[in-house]
Amino acid sequence: MSARPSAARIVLTGGLLILMLAGIALGVWQFRRMAWKQALIAQVEARLRAPPVPAPGPADWAAISAARDAYRRVTMTGTFRHDRETLVQAVTQRGSGYWVLTPLVGRGFTVLVNRGFVPAAARDPAQRRAGNGAGPARINGLLRLSEPGGGFLRANDPARDRWHSRDVAAIAAARRLGRVAPYFIDADATPNRGGLPVGGLTVVRFADNHLVYALTWLALAAGCGVGAALLWRRG
């Protein structure tokens, strides 16, 4: 007659089986995340290839979402308020410096436009007057959703005019811009007079490591299953 399994062996085997089930569940979840991410990448790539559409006006603001509108190519005509620009700290392929966010006043509403990058040495508008022309301007670029709160471990500080993210609502309040679109536009690479700011530096890249994560979880689940079987048979 075989000996009854000890309480410790029952607990350890049960624990391994629970871990196995958790690993399977997490592996399946990662496969679902992979399908979602690949669909998102396909959608964004399609938007990047599509012709630009007019920047959404107030009637469309409530329906704007990241899933439907992020990185959509848009165009808008208006007049820049260079006296109300905001510098947001940035690190780009050109080094560290600032994004220049300037209100573009169109017909009936205002949109913040990320006109591009300037190095720290050119943060003073007086050093780039040539690029801050007056009169009507037509902007083509990518629709981006607001970045509330701040950057990684660094909160925006409107009182000290220190910005680490492109928080549309906070910038609009600090600059007293009135009614502003809930998104901003990343300007394309059309050169500005004088060479600054430098547009067209938007990085469109989505990490897609879900297959690796899924296989890792399933491998751990398999290991736990084998361990549980061996432990149960032992003795």
Side-chain angles (χ1 to χ4, degrees), residues 3-233:
R4 294 181 62 184
S6 67
R9 183 145 59 103
I10 293 173
V11 170
L12 288 174
T13 302
L16 287 171
L17 290 174
I18 291 172
L19 290 174
M20 180 188 72
L21 294 174
I24 292 173
L26 288 168
V28 170
W29 177 69
Q30 286 293 342
F31 276 121
R32 290 175 177 170
R33 290 282 295 173
M34 180 178 69
W36 168 81
K37 181 64 69 65
Q38 290 177 348
L40 173 64
I41 292 171
Q43 290 171 359
V44 170
E45 288 178 346
R47 292 172 200 163
L48 293 173
R49 292 192 298 268
V53 299
D60 300 316
W61 290 351
I64 291 174
S65 67
R68 193 185 72 174
D69 299 295
Y71 300 102
R72 188 180 301 280
R73 294 182 65 207
V74 296
T75 184
M76 181 171 172
T77 300
T79 303
F80 278 119
R81 290 292 308 274
H82 295 294
D83 59 319
R84 302 288 181 91
E85 76 172 26
T86 300
L87 299 180
V88 179
Q89 290 192 339
V91 178
T92 73
Q93 63 198 53
R94 290 174 169 258
S96 60
Y98 301 91
W99 298 123
V100 179
L101 266 68
T102 309
L104 181 66
V105 182
R107 292 186 176 181
F109 66 100
T110 299
V111 173
L112 282 178
V113 175
N114 175 17
R115 300 182 60 227
F117 172 81
V118 295
R123 63 172 295 163
D124 185 349
Q127 296 177 288
R128 42 187 168 82
R129 284 196 182 96
N132 291 353
R138 184 176 183 84
I139 294 297
N140 295 313
L142 301 179
L143 186 152
R144 303 291 308 280
L145 275 295
S146 180
E147 302 168 345
F152 180 66
L153 298 179
R154 306 183 74 179
N156 291 325
D157 188 352
R160 301 174 68 183
D161 201 25
R162 293 183 179 178
W163 303 91
H164 304 285
S165 73
R166 292 163 290 192
D167 185 335
V168 170
I171 291 173
R175 295 291 183 266
R176 300 179 180 179
L177 298 179
R179 193 177 196 190
V180 175
Y183 59 86
F184 62 94
I185 298 174
D186 268 350
D188 66 11
T190 301
N192 289 298
R193 292 184 60 186
L196 293 174
V198 179
L201 299 182
T202 308
V203 176
V204 184
R205 181 172 59 238
F206 299 92
D208 185 11
N209 301 316
H210 299 293
L211 178 60
V212 174
Y213 296 152
L215 295 177
T216 300
W217 282 117
L218 293 178
L220 290 172
C224 288
V226 171
L230 292 175
L231 182 61
W232 189 253
R233 290 180 180 180

